[in-house]
Amino acid sequence: MKLSIEHVGKTYRGGTRGLDDFSLELEPGVLGLLGPNGAGKSTLMRILATITKPTDGTVTWNGTNIVKSPDGLRSVLGYLPQDFGVYPNLTAQEFLEYVAAAKGIEHAAARRRIQELLVLVNLVDARKRALGGFSGGMRQRVGIAQALLNDPRLLIVDEPTAGLDPEERVRFRNLLSDLSGERIVILSTHIVSDVEATATHIALINRGRLVVSAPPEALLQKVEGRVWEWMVPSSDLTDVKARFRVSATLRRSDGVRVRAVSDMQPAAGAQPASPNLEDAYLLFINPAENAGAQVA
């Protein structure tokens, strides 16, 4: 099972480039596609879901071009878009039955699968309520369920934890981890903690280009020795943020504890700190200094 993205680009009307020469090969596991808003994540997801055609380059699923022959991928695809819409007058049960029918799932099998998924996304008690009365988080859980109806080999989820409370977010992270052993899961998000908790491989994207692709451990090794923590007076914080790539601050009674990424010791008394994925993200998502950075 392999998804290959080769030199893919997307140009929109007016000449705006949504993607530029993006290449990546994926095998079973969870890919965390991480980047700021507007980086090109959703454009890539729509191409992989066969909704949008690339302007240039090719995407192949097990060797088959998905633009020329999309049906092979569509039959094993689960997709949760960033802007997931529902029919407000349908109940959760009815909506999932409708989506299952549209996907060609046999009725008896669909009913069994729907019951399993309602348990999985914690909506059993709300299954007969109209979707128009659901909270944003509940609608998102319905979206997750519909993406899993056909037990997909390729699961694409675009900003899936938006609107979920902390308990639901942990549940969804665990679900993605459980699903990853036998399928390719692509988690597209700007929330670093979601990727840190689930991804077996990480791709950082900015301005439509792949910045770096590596396992989490390799990214962390690249930042080793470049993360520092030190205390500064509150009055100096604005200046420190202007001079350094600050990943975190913690206010205390004696000032502000600053955490920053820097090749050199940023201040007298600054101590090395163990890196995390937030630090790696900050290091690489910097077009002026880190465009095209690679991890060996």
Side-chain angles (χ1 to χ4, degrees):
M1 189 188 315
K2 181 180 289 188
L3 180 67
S4 297
I5 307 165
E6 300 176 2
H7 305 291
V8 166
K10 178 66 178 181
T11 303
Y12 290 104
R13 192 174 299 174
T16 301
R17 289 287 280 180
L19 280 178
D20 190 11
D21 196 26
F22 193 102
S23 296
L24 195 62
E25 284 203 353
L26 305 180
E27 295 183 342
V30 178
L31 171 75
L33 183 66
L34 188 60
N37 290 326
K41 302 187 300 297
S42 292
T43 297
L44 178 61
M45 296 300 94
R46 289 174 62 83
I47 290 173
L48 299 182
T50 72
I51 296 170
T52 298
K53 293 181 180 181
T55 308
D56 39 73
T58 59
V59 179
T60 59
W61 172 253
N62 295 330
T64 300
N65 188 312
I66 69 168
V67 172
K68 296 179 179 179
S69 303
D71 290 345
L73 174 58
R74 287 173 178 170
S75 65
V76 294
L77 172 69
Y79 178 47
L80 174 61
Q82 183 174 357
D83 299 315
F84 172 68
V86 297
Y87 295 99
N89 294 326
L90 295 181
T91 67
Q93 178 89 33
E94 290 168 341
F95 177 75
L96 291 173
E97 289 174 352
Y98 166 77
V99 175
K103 291 186 176 185
I105 304 173
E106 188 269 328
H107 182 68
R111 290 188 68 87
R112 288 193 298 271
R113 181 64 173 162
I114 288 167
Q115 296 312 307
E116 293 172 358
L117 292 172
L118 287 171
V119 172
L120 193 65
V121 299
N122 196 28
L123 285 176
V124 173
D125 293 340
R127 68 189 185 280
K128 294 185 178 180
R129 287 174 50 189
L131 295 176
F134 275 26
S135 67
M138 293 173 72
R139 285 195 297 270
Q140 195 74 346
R141 283 185 272 157
V142 173
I144 293 165
Q146 66 80 29
L148 294 171
L149 274 169
N150 60 334
D151 193 21
R153 299 298 92 192
L154 173 62
L155 176 62
I156 299 172
V157 287
D158 193 357
E159 300 287 356
T161 59
L164 300 186
D165 64 32
E167 183 178 352
E168 291 170 332
R169 178 169 286 177
V170 170
R171 180 193 293 270
F172 183 75
R173 289 171 176 172
N174 293 338
L175 172 61
L176 284 187
S177 296
D178 292 343
L179 291 170
S180 64
E182 53 194 31
R183 71 196 82 214
I184 297 172
V185 179
I186 303 177
L187 166 62
S188 172
T189 184
H190 67 284
I191 302 173
V192 177
S193 58
D194 284 349
V195 170
E196 195 164 32
T198 58
T200 55
H201 198 92
I202 296 171
L204 301 184
I205 181 174
N206 196 22
R207 299 186 180 182
R209 298 185 66 91
L210 179 65
V211 178
V212 63
S213 168
E217 297 82 4
L219 287 180
L220 293 176
Q221 288 171 7
K222 191 69 175 178
V223 193
E224 191 73 49
R226 304 165 83 173
V227 182
W228 307 84
E229 291 186 353
W230 74 103
M231 293 296 299
V232 301
S234 295
S235 57
D236 292 350
L237 185 57
T238 299
D239 179 62
V240 169
K241 286 183 175 180
R243 294 170 55 206
F244 301 105
R245 288 172 286 193
V246 174
S247 60
T249 58
L250 178 63
R251 292 191 179 273
R252 294 172 30 170
S253 59
D254 54 344
V256 181
R257 187 163 190 83
V258 173
R259 181 184 180 94
V261 179
S262 174
D263 293 339
M264 307 288 291
Q265 186 182 27
Q271 297 295 315
S274 297
N276 58 36
L277 195 56
E278 292 270 6
D279 302 316
Y281 177 85
L282 194 62
L283 173 68
F284 286 105
I285 300 297
N286 187 318
E289 297 182 19
N290 300 296
Q294 298 294 320
V295 172

